[in-house]
Amino acid sequence: MSAAGALSSAFQEVVILERDVLPASIMSRAGVPQDRHPHLLLAGGLQALDSLFPGFAQDLAAAGAVPVNVFKDVQYERPDVGALPRRDCGTSLLCGSRPLIEHTLRRKVTAIANVKVQSQSRVTEIVPAATRPMVKFENDAGVGAAIEADLVVDASGRGAPTLGLLDVLGWERPQEIVVGVDISYTTAVLRPGRTSFDWQNLVTLPDPATSATAGLIIPLEGGRWFTSISHHGATDRPGTWEDYLAAARQLKTPAIYNAIYKLLPPGGLRHFVFDASRWRHFERLKRLPRGILPVADSLCRFNPVYGQGMTVAAREAKLLREILDRVAGEADPIEALQAGFMSEVGALLQAPWNMGGER
């Protein structure tokens, strides 16, 4: 959606092909299985989206997102020193559920006159062409259709349409760097009620010498909390609220357990498993098929523990907009946009990739 907004000023029509039936209200959907777990829109992502969609931050706050001052409102606990000192770094986040963030963004995108969101449209392949590639897709009943486009942005998450196209053409696939993560999350949504603490976010890191378990509490809309416990290499995950509380008691500090043990059990626990961070180096290829542009997770999928995914995608969309403005007068703006984006996106990705300790 952020890429669609970035491209809307330069194209006659932008069509988003979405496989899900999109909900009219703020709710989870099948195509985003991790949206029942904590998400963070970091300051850089919020700034990028507010630049692409003026008023986005204001709308997100009005929809119920919780402002959090970094690091004044964050209790960040490390095993070697305990809770770090609180400091006002002059930066604030807006914390909310992934469905809330997505719903707010979708309203901004669909308000753009030349952007069309077409749901129940699962992309099956990109067909090569000399001038304009064709995207084939089908609905839930298996009925197929196709669209020709000057530019196809592959935001599929795994880059399968672009990789399939390269295979059909007999072209080289990109080099992949894969860093095993093997992390699982168990998450519950709680209502703290009148419970009051001097923090908004609570993060407890593990001591790798003795444990691979970490914990998190993050506020979300409606006066609720996400509480999540992550495990590296775990084979058994908490199946009941009692199991969850037992896992919370095993954290390095008791802060998370003390915050949640008196609360009513949630409706259910949610699990999510992430196997590896993956950077497909499309930007290193000598060439890409004309009019094809992989973005976001199709390029680089990050370890979710650092909350970088949405922010990097938004910053890539902002980069797209900046390059579009530069290449508007070129003889072949499509080719110039591809080349310009691929020449700069690597530097944008390198910093968050390195921050995760991945080389």
Side-chain angles (χ1 to χ4, degrees), residues 43-344:
L46 186 62
Q47 291 164 6
L49 289 176
D50 214 40
S51 172
L52 291 168
F53 307 96
F56 172 81
Q58 181 178 349
D59 290 355
L60 187 60
V66 180
V68 174
N69 181 293
V70 181
F71 281 89
K72 183 180 177 182
D73 297 333
V74 180
Q75 181 161 311
Y76 198 86
E77 302 178 336
R78 285 177 32 167
D80 51 350
V81 296
L84 297 183
R86 308 278 187 85
R87 297 289 186 270
D88 184 347
C89 297
T91 300
S92 291
L93 309 178
L94 285 174
C95 292
S97 66
R98 167 64 183 259
L100 177 76
I101 297 168
E102 185 176 296
H103 182 79
T104 304
L105 181 56
R106 189 182 302 122
R107 291 186 65 180
K108 284 290 192 183
V109 173
T110 54
I112 302 172
N114 64 329
V115 175
K116 174 185 177 184
V117 180
Q118 189 164 314
S119 61
Q120 290 184 279
S121 299
R122 184 180 67 86
V123 173
T124 56
E125 65 176 319
I126 302 173
V127 180
T131 55
R132 285 162 56 93
M134 178 181 293
V135 181
K136 290 188 174 182
F137 58 97
E138 60 184 30
N139 63 19
D140 290 348
V143 178
I147 295 178
E148 276 191 340
D150 294 299
L151 180 69
V152 176
V153 175
D154 181 355
S156 62
R158 299 184 185 273
T162 300
L163 294 172
L165 176 59
L166 293 176
D167 292 343
V168 168
L169 294 171
W171 290 15
E172 175 188 8
R173 277 192 169 210
Q175 173 198 8
E176 290 191 5
I177 297 178
V178 180
V179 178
V181 175
D182 191 20
I183 190 171
S184 65
Y185 285 87
T186 302
T187 298
V189 176
L190 301 176
R191 292 190 176 276
R194 296 181 180 179
T195 304
S196 179
F197 295 92
D198 65 349
W199 44 259
Q200 289 272 34
N201 283 24
L202 175 56
V203 182
T204 302
L205 299 183
D207 182 352
T210 59
S211 172
T213 304
L216 169 73
I217 292 177
I218 187 171
L220 65 158
E221 66 276 8
R224 298 172 296 163
W225 280 350
F226 266 135
T227 176
S228 190
I229 293 178
S230 65
H231 314 260
H232 283 280
T235 55
D236 296 322
R237 293 182 290 274
T240 66
W241 183 236
E242 290 72 21
D243 294 339
Y244 190 94
L245 291 177
R249 293 191 72 169
Q250 300 304 311
L251 294 171
K252 185 66 176 178
T253 72
I256 289 180
Y257 175 80
N258 289 341
I260 67 174
Y261 79 96
K262 291 183 179 179
L263 300 181
L264 294 176
L269 300 177
R270 298 285 185 173
H271 302 289
F272 179 69
V273 178
F274 184 90
D275 59 346
S277 300
R278 188 180 304 268
W279 189 345
R280 301 176 185 88
H281 284 285
F282 285 104
E283 81 284 359
R284 294 181 181 175
L285 293 176
K286 294 180 180 178
R287 58 178 177 170
L288 278 171
R290 176 178 173 78
I292 305 298
L293 202 63
V295 301
D297 279 10
S298 294
L299 268 173
C300 190
R301 192 174 184 220
F302 294 93
N303 182 344
V305 75
Y306 303 107
Q308 298 167 319
M310 291 192 299
T311 290
V312 171
R315 293 188 65 212
E316 286 180 25
K318 187 170 182 288
L319 176 62
L320 266 179
R321 169 65 62 82
E322 293 167 357
I323 294 174
L324 270 173
D325 293 341
R326 279 185 248 151
V327 304
E330 296 285 340
D332 188 342
I334 298 295
E335 183 177 333
L337 175 61
Q338 284 181 279
F341 182 79
M342 285 299 166
S343 69
E344 296 186 35

